[in-house]
Amino acid sequence: MIPFPQEKNRRILILDDTEMIHKDFRSVLDGNSRLLDTDALDQAEAVILGRTPTVEYKEAFELDFAFQGQEGLEMVQRALKEHRPYAMAFVDVRMPPGWDGIETIQRIWQVDPELQMVICTAYSDYSLKEILKKLGKTEKLLILKKPFDAIEVYQLAIAITEKWSLSRRARMKQEELESLVEKQTLRLRQALEEARSANEAKGRFLANMSHEIRTPMNAIIGFGEMLSAEAEFTPTQKQYMDIICMAGKNLLTIMDDLLDFSRIEAGKLHVKIVECSMREMIENLNLLLRPSAQSKGITFEVITADNLPAAMQTDPIRVRQCLINLVNNAIKFTETGRITIKISLVEDDTEIPRSVRFDVEDTGIGIEQEKLERIFEAFAQADAETTRKFGGTGLGLAITRQLVGLLGGTISVTSRPGEGSTFSILLPVDFEGTSQADSSPSRVELTEYPKENEANSVFDADILVAEDSPTNQVLIKALLEHMGMRVTLTQNGQEALAAARDRHFDLVFMDIQMPVMNGYEATRRIRDVKPDMPVIALTANAMVGDPEKCYQAGARGFLPKPIDREQLIRILRKYLSADRQRQANSVAQSVSE
């Protein structure tokens, strides 16, 4: 916007081809010490009564005159260049032989769209409708019909120049505010960018820390479990080895909690609602939670209501994570007694009309009433003594509450010190399209649950392993050879690609982070040359999106570090049997041909 003095702008341009009209406007608007004519009767009355007539001084206007439209346009341009714009212009419609008033206004508005226009017309050349059609309906245009009254012209000049000044001040104030908003927006954008960069840096840091921690923990836990299961130890040595394995797993749990909490804070933790089997969910909980409870001599059971559906719409992975957090918490704070998961259908809850309720009950130490309010806060536990005695980050319940919220549910707790606690989760359920009520037993006791002896599994297969860590090479080679497999080791993706080109392998375990060529690129190239050779991603990363990246590169499975032996065996059974079936089909097809 062009700057102008803060005082009132009384500059007026008169555009008319007649000298007499210029004189008329000058007589009305020129305020150089002239008096506004008073009423003749008022003057006569003053003479008769012997008093001084009442007079009014005119408002002073600065007038400029032009005879043709082009001349007027040049004057407007010059005024703008000198930062002395006109506030208004009186423009005659007829100004032969050049532009008429309509074209003049159109051209002037192209250079000064803020100029207030008063068009003077007798409606002989243009009708009101035609004028509005050409110039448009705008608050910057007035039409003054000829012949016009001097007082009307004078009042128009005062009102319109005042309007121009007020409008300009308002726009200046608006631009000032917009400038402040723009600056503040820029600062906020910069702050958001800095926060985003810091968040990304934190994510990269956590990813690197996860990788650096999981890589050595893979060796600690892996060799520890192998020695604990196979070596001949004294009872004390066996206890020490079990403690080493347990401490390693606890460290990984802490790392996973920190990663989950970081994802939640960054808004990158999402849920995927699918139809899932209630029976499968319950059986998975039994498998995962029973050993920890029984290792402390605690009875563990799951009680389900008879009217539970066979399936429900939810995210089974996140539901399982919530229940694992609650049960592990209960195991940690329960020395003797019982831990029970009760699953029931609730159809009259005020907050969620139809839901599945999960109650995790324990007979542990309990929580005092005044401390229940902050039990779900991050990094919070009941008290410092609890933290020292039982350990933990204080993130498990905070993460569980966030996950339950993402699932659209609620979580609550009731507790009595010395008697135990009950954590309750209500999750909304959409039963449309799901199966009817399950007829499975309503009570599952886990104290006598038979465990399959996976350690004795034997496979006859050739395995290619790409792993740059010497320690992890020794570990995975020992694990696989113990199960009867022949193992070829490579130190990077390039070596793995060369080995895969030279010979056939029943399965490839591919580390993701390696020098020379990383696992993603190596997997893509192996898939190009040996599309039927199954590749399993082997990684210490645990960030969101890592499994998807591996699958996109062509991996058929994802095995995180530290390597869980039972999960490793499940992968071997799945992909080796599938690979052998494909080979059998290929041989049968070649024979038939």
Side-chain angles (χ1 to χ4, degrees):
M1 179 180 291
I2 297 173
F4 74 101
Q6 292 299 311
E7 61 268 14
K8 295 179 180 181
N9 183 4
R10 297 306 195 206
R11 286 174 51 75
I12 298 176
L13 177 63
I14 311 298
L15 262 167
D16 196 291
D17 64 328
T18 305
E19 177 68 32
M20 184 60 67
I21 296 296
H22 291 188
K23 291 180 180 180
D24 290 342
F25 274 105
R26 186 178 287 110
S27 66
V28 174
L29 300 176
D30 190 349
N32 293 328
S33 303
R34 299 189 57 186
L35 300 177
L36 182 65
D37 294 336
T38 57
D39 187 90
L41 291 177
D42 290 341
Q43 295 186 30
E45 179 184 3
V47 171
I48 294 172
L49 298 177
R51 60 177 176 79
T52 303
T54 302
V55 296
E56 297 178 4
Y57 287 94
K58 290 182 178 180
E59 182 84 24
F61 295 95
E62 183 181 347
L63 305 179
D64 286 330
F65 299 90
F67 289 95
Q68 294 294 325
Q70 188 170 356
E71 180 187 4
L73 175 62
E74 292 172 354
M75 294 175 70
V76 170
Q77 291 173 325
R78 185 166 56 251
L80 290 172
K81 187 176 181 180
E82 296 172 353
H83 302 318
R84 299 178 64 248
Y86 294 106
M88 68 177 296
F90 287 94
V91 183
D92 188 26
V93 170
R94 300 185 61 187
M95 290 186 294
W99 306 333
D100 64 9
I102 303 300
E103 184 177 0
T104 298
I105 291 174
Q106 289 173 329
R107 291 176 179 268
I108 288 176
W109 269 348
Q110 290 177 1
V111 298
D112 187 0
E114 303 303 321
L115 186 58
Q116 302 282 326
M117 294 290 188
V118 177
I119 187 167
C120 305
T121 177
Y123 299 145
S124 58
D125 297 292
Y126 292 98
S127 67
L128 176 61
K129 184 177 181 180
E130 290 173 320
I131 292 173
L132 294 178
K133 182 178 180 180
K134 288 179 174 293
L135 297 178
K137 294 181 180 180
T138 170
E139 48 88 21
K140 296 183 181 65
L141 177 67
L142 285 176
I143 298 176
L144 183 63
K145 186 178 178 182
K146 294 180 178 179
F148 45 77
D149 181 77
I151 297 297
E152 184 179 5
V153 170
Y154 180 70
Q155 290 176 335
L156 275 177
I158 292 176
I160 293 177
T161 55
E162 184 68 21
K163 173 188 174 186
W164 186 95
S165 297
L166 292 174
S167 177
R168 181 59 65 94
R169 290 190 181 94
R171 284 193 298 276
M172 289 181 68
K173 188 64 176 178
Q174 180 180 352
E175 289 182 357
E176 180 183 350
L177 292 174
E178 288 176 352
S179 177
L180 290 173
V181 170
E182 184 177 353
K183 290 179 181 177
Q184 185 66 18
T185 302
L186 179 60
R187 285 195 290 268
L188 289 173
R189 190 178 294 116
Q190 291 173 342
L192 284 173
E193 187 60 34
E194 291 173 1
R196 188 178 298 111
S197 298
N199 215 23
E200 291 176 356
K202 183 176 71 173
R204 289 192 297 270
F205 171 77
L206 288 172
N208 291 333
M209 287 300 298
S210 171
H211 183 271
E212 294 303 319
I213 290 175
R214 285 174 176 271
T215 297
M217 292 309 300
N218 182 49
I220 295 171
I221 296 174
F223 283 122
E225 288 182 341
M226 286 182 65
L227 289 173
S228 181
E230 300 166 15
E232 294 183 3
F233 287 128
T234 66
T236 301
Q237 290 172 331
K238 179 71 164 60
Q239 181 184 20
Y240 291 166
M241 189 57 64
D242 289 342
I243 290 173
I244 291 174
C245 295
M246 182 179 64
K249 291 180 179 179
N250 286 342
L251 179 59
L252 289 176
T253 300
I254 291 172
M255 193 68 221
D256 288 340
D257 283 349
L258 290 172
L259 288 172
D260 274 343
F261 188 70
S262 174
R263 293 167 188 155
I264 290 171
E265 282 197 324
K268 294 183 178 180
L269 191 65
H270 305 290
V271 297
K272 184 178 181 181
I273 305 300
V274 296
E275 181 175 325
C276 57
S277 166
M278 291 289 288
R279 171 185 283 277
E280 182 179 350
M281 185 184 300
I282 294 169
E283 289 179 350
N284 286 338
L285 289 172
N286 292 345
L287 282 170
L288 290 167
L289 300 173
R290 179 189 66 84
S292 296
Q294 286 192 328
S295 66
K296 290 186 68 174
I298 301 170
T299 301
F300 184 84
E301 64 178 349
V302 178
I303 301 175
T304 61
D306 293 333
N307 62 343
L308 277 181
M312 64 182 292
Q313 297 280 348
T314 189
D315 186 330
I317 295 175
R318 297 306 181 189
V319 173
R320 184 176 63 184
Q321 184 178 355
C322 291
L323 293 173
I324 288 174
N325 283 346
L326 294 182
V327 173
N328 284 339
N329 211 51
I331 293 172
K332 182 192 299 184
F333 297 110
T334 302
E335 295 298 332
T336 60
R338 178 183 299 272
I339 295 174
T340 305
I341 299 179
K342 295 180 179 179
I343 308 175
S344 57
L345 182 64
V346 179
E347 302 203 44
D348 58 354
D349 184 74
T350 55
E351 296 185 17
I352 306 175
R354 199 176 196 193
S355 60
V356 169
R357 181 186 183 104
F358 299 87
D359 292 308
V360 178
E361 301 177 355
D362 65 63
T363 57
I365 62 174
I367 308 167
E368 295 180 5
Q369 189 65 33
E370 61 271 15
K371 296 173 181 175
L372 286 177
E373 295 180 1
R374 64 185 190 91
I375 199 67
F376 292 105
E377 296 177 5
F379 306 106
Q381 291 188 346
D383 51 44
E385 183 180 349
T386 300
T387 304
R388 288 193 301 270
K389 182 176 180 181
F390 296 97
T393 61
L395 288 175
L397 292 179
I399 292 170
T400 301
R401 181 178 64 176
Q402 295 287 347
L403 290 175
V404 170
L406 289 174
L407 292 167
T410 61
I411 184 171
S412 59
V413 58
T414 58
S415 184
R416 296 185 66 177
E419 298 183 13
S421 305
T422 299
F423 287 85
S424 301
I425 294 176
L426 280 172
L427 294 180
V429 178
D430 178 12
F431 292 142
E432 293 184 7
T434 61
S435 306
Q436 298 299 316
D438 200 345
S439 59
S440 58
S442 61
R443 179 183 296 266
V444 181
E445 293 286 352
L446 300 180
T447 52
E448 300 300 329
Y449 192 91
K451 182 175 181 178
E452 183 179 0
N453 187 6
E454 300 277 21
N456 295 326
S457 298
V458 176
F459 301 88
D460 179 22
D462 289 302
I463 307 295
L464 173 63
V465 176
E467 170 64 68
D468 63 310
S469 169
T471 304
N472 285 327
Q473 285 182 356
V474 174
L475 172 63
I476 192 168
K477 187 173 186 291
L479 285 171
L480 296 173
E481 287 182 344
H482 182 75
M483 290 183 280
M485 287 170 278
R486 296 169 293 280
V487 180
T488 299
L489 292 174
T490 57
Q491 299 183 28
N492 56 62
Q494 193 173 71
E495 291 183 7
L497 177 61
R501 282 173 173 165
D502 290 341
R503 55 180 289 198
H504 173 77
F505 291 95
D506 298 306
L507 193 65
V508 179
F509 284 102
M510 180 71 67
D511 189 25
I512 295 303
Q513 290 191 355
M514 292 184 295
V516 184
M517 181 187 292
N518 64 40
Y520 297 120
E521 182 64 21
T523 299
R524 280 190 287 267
R525 295 195 182 189
I526 289 175
R527 298 292 293 159
D528 290 338
V529 297
K530 297 287 183 71
D532 292 332
M533 189 179 295
V535 179
I536 305 300
L538 184 64
T539 177
N541 288 351
M543 300 303 290
V544 174
D546 287 335
E548 288 75 10
K549 292 179 183 177
C550 295
Y551 296 137
Q552 289 171 4
R556 294 186 188 171
F558 182 85
L559 183 62
K561 298 177 186 177
I563 297 172
D564 180 81
R565 182 177 297 193
E566 292 185 6
Q567 188 175 0
L568 171 63
I569 292 172
R570 284 196 295 271
I571 286 176
L572 292 170
R573 284 180 171 173
K574 177 179 180 180
Y575 291 101
L576 289 181
S577 60
D579 186 54
R580 278 165 169 67
Q581 184 63 46
R582 280 192 298 273
Q583 291 180 27
N585 292 340
S586 177
V587 170
Q589 183 177 359
S590 63
V591 170
S592 63
E593 291 173 353

